[in-house]
Each structure stands twice: as structure tokens, then as C-alpha cells.
Amino acid sequence: MKTKALVQIALLCAAPWLVAAQAQTAANPHSSHHAAASNGSVTLPKVAAEVRRVDAQTGKITLKHADISNLDMPAMTMVFQTASPDMLKDLEVGQKVLFTADKIKGAYTVLSIERAP
């Protein structure tokens, strides 16, 4: 009988946390969007950035970027993986670009990049 009572108390204590987590997931339209974006069904926003570093050997690029709305990420400078190292071949440090990014398999990844007009 004590075990049943302890389980009920534990569930009652956890219930508000579970409800809050569910509400947060429902309120965040990007929470389930990452899988959809990888198959092309979601249009990702083009984000303005400046190239700070290009590492073609590892397929990484450092960008000083504006807000990335689909990732709920504020403007900052950070390193991204690229979908393909070939994306980096014509980029230079200091160049202004527009790019799209998403979180793929836990890594922030540039999916497209082009010179800014």
C-alpha cells in the first residue's frame, strides 16, 4: 500500500512539469520542424552574414550572422558544419553572404549559401 501511495505522490509532483513541457512544445512551432526541413517541405529563411573563417578540409565555416528565426538563435558569430564541403570553394573571409541553416543530427548545419547582392 505504501508503494502505491508513493507512486501516486510522485505522479502528482511530476504532473505540472509534464504539462509545462507539453505546452512549451506546442507553443514552439520549430520544435518538430527540423525533420521536415531536411526533406524540403519547409522553406528556411535566408540569413545575412559575414564570412569570418573557411575550413574546407573539415567542411566548416565561421559566420557572423543575423538572427536565425527557425533556430530561435540571436545574432552572433559561430562555427557551422556545411551540407557539403564544396559549398565553401568560392567563399572568402570578409565576404557578405545569405545562407540557410538548420539543426541536422544535433549539429547546426549550413544547407545553402550564396553571395549577398
Side-chain angles (χ1 to χ4, degrees), residues 98-109:
L98 295 172
F99 74 103
T100 61
D102 207 351
K103 195 167 187 180
I104 309 295
K105 296 181 183 178
Y108 292 112
T109 305

Side-chain angles (χ1 to χ4, degrees), residues 9-53:
I9 290 170
L11 288 173
L12 286 173
C13 291
W17 294 64
L18 295 172
V19 170
Q22 179 63 32
Q24 184 177 11
T25 300
N28 184 353
H30 307 298
S31 61
S32 63
H33 137 275
H34 298 298
S38 64
N39 70 15
S41 65
V42 174
T43 301
L44 298 173
K46 288 188 178 183
V47 180
E50 179 182 325
V51 177
R52 291 297 178 103
R53 184 170 183 217

Side-chain angles (χ1 to χ4, degrees), residues 48-52 64 91-98 114-117:
E50 179 182 325
V51 177
R52 291 297 178 103
K64 180 179 181 183
L91 298 176
E92 299 174 8
V93 172
Q95 187 174 32
K96 304 290 186 195
V97 296
L98 295 172
E114 62 190 53
R115 290 178 183 224

Side-chain angles (χ1 to χ4, degrees), residues 3 7-8 17 32 54 62 65 99:
T3 303
V7 169
Q8 288 176 335
W17 294 64
S32 63
V54 177
T62 304
H65 63 79
F99 74 103

Side-chain angles (χ1 to χ4, degrees), residues 56-73:
Q57 287 185 326
T58 62
K60 294 182 181 180
I61 186 169
T62 304
L63 296 171
K64 180 179 181 183
H65 63 79
D67 293 349
I68 305 175
S69 61
N70 63 301
L71 297 175
D72 295 324
M73 184 181 293

